[in-house]
Amino acid sequence: MKKNFDVGLLLLRVTVALLMLLHGISKIKGGVGGIETAMVKNGLPAFVAYGVYIGEIIAPILMIIGWRTRIASLLVFFTMIVAVYVAHPTDVLKLNDHGASAIELQLLFGIGALALFFMGAGKYALSSKNKWD
């Protein structure tokens, strides 16, 4: 069977980005008040909470369309690092009731985005000629 890395990249890119985008949309509806509180509690400025809109809405949209995917995927990756630091710092080494990592969702989003950073968007993207695609 012939390998088709570009279809695999498209599937990975759209899946990670679409699922992350859904999280971002929920933040639009609910606001960032709780996130601001968590940021301040962890010693970060409250305005950093608005970065959630970049990491969970703008970056995923860029990933879906395949424009500057490497930059967008780095933004998603760092968003997940901040999410673990702020919302799940004590869960890093914990297992949930089913024996899985307590931060498996954050790991899947983060590592999936990091993989896209290293591989790029593939040929099924709006832009694929720039080094940041």
Side-chain angles (χ1 to χ4, degrees):
M1 176 185 255
K2 181 182 174 203
K3 295 180 182 180
N4 193 332
F5 292 102
D6 291 305
V7 171
L9 288 171
L10 175 66
L11 288 170
L12 178 63
R13 196 179 81 226
V14 171
T15 301
V16 168
L18 182 61
L19 293 173
M20 178 59 75
L21 181 60
L22 295 174
H23 281 269
I25 290 169
S26 75
K27 304 270 186 342
I28 291 174
K29 292 179 182 179
V32 294
I35 299 168
E36 284 178 318
T37 302
M39 293 293 179
V40 171
K41 181 179 173 185
N42 283 282
L44 298 169
F47 75 86
V48 175
Y50 291 91
V52 75
Y53 294 131
I54 295 169
E56 293 188 18
I57 295 173
I58 295 171
I61 289 171
L62 293 176
M63 289 171 66
I64 289 168
I65 65 173
W67 191 78
R68 304 303 185 256
T69 300
R70 289 181 179 205
I71 295 171
S73 64
L74 265 184
L75 291 170
V76 170
F77 175 71
F78 286 118
T79 298
M80 290 298 93
I81 289 175
V82 172
V84 169
Y85 173 73
V86 170
H88 306 280
T90 60
D91 295 338
V92 173
L93 299 176
K94 286 185 181 176
L95 299 177
N96 66 21
D97 294 339
H98 303 287
S101 171
I103 59 166
E104 69 181 351
L105 184 61
Q106 292 80 10
L107 287 171
L108 281 169
F109 283 145
I111 301 303
L114 189 60
L116 286 165
F117 168 74
F118 287 113
M119 294 184 293
K123 72 179 183 180
Y124 302 117
L126 185 64
S127 176
S128 60
K129 304 293 185 212
N130 189 286
K131 69 179 182 177
W132 292 106
D133 293 323

